[in-house]
Amino acid sequence: INNNGHTLLDAVGRSVDYEKELLISQVLDEIKSLNHNEQMLIKGLYINGKTLREMSEEIGIPVMTLQNRKKKILRKLKNKIY
């Protein structure tokens, strides 16, 4: 514990929170660089919490096709961020 009552654990926690916020910001920026259909799929699944089946029914594309597209998009995002 230092003079102002903070521990090393507090400092580490703040650092982890900052890194998490930075990563989230990077991911959101990269999502903006995706084409419209890719954005709609990722936003539907991860921001709006829809299932692949729900997305499939809404847009009329088979679940497996959406699953394959999701994997491709996530790989693309991962490669851009890391």
Side-chain angles (χ1 to χ4, degrees):
I1 297 180
N2 64 16
N3 292 342
N4 58 9
H6 296 292
T7 65
L8 178 58
L9 191 55
D10 292 332
V12 170
R14 284 190 301 277
S15 176
V16 169
D17 288 344
Y18 172 76
E19 289 178 23
K20 193 184 309 183
E21 288 177 25
L22 184 59
L23 181 59
I24 290 169
S25 176
Q26 289 174 314
V27 170
L28 292 174
D29 285 344
E30 290 302 333
I31 288 172
K32 292 175 187 173
S33 75
L34 298 172
N35 71 45
H36 177 74
N37 291 334
E38 292 171 332
Q39 284 186 36
M40 294 304 292
L41 180 58
I42 294 302
K43 287 178 179 179
L45 295 172
Y46 294 100
I47 295 175
N48 299 327
K50 295 180 182 179
T51 66
L52 282 169
R53 182 165 304 288
E54 290 170 327
M55 294 292 296
S56 171
E57 291 170 1
E58 283 181 24
I59 59 181
I61 297 175
V63 171
M64 286 309 299
T65 301
L66 292 180
Q67 174 70 21
N68 291 335
R69 289 181 184 178
K70 179 185 87 165
K71 287 179 184 179
K72 180 181 171 188
I73 296 165
L74 293 178
R75 243 188 332 267
K76 183 192 293 190
L77 290 172
K78 182 177 177 184
N79 290 335
K80 287 183 172 189
I81 293 169
Y82 292 108

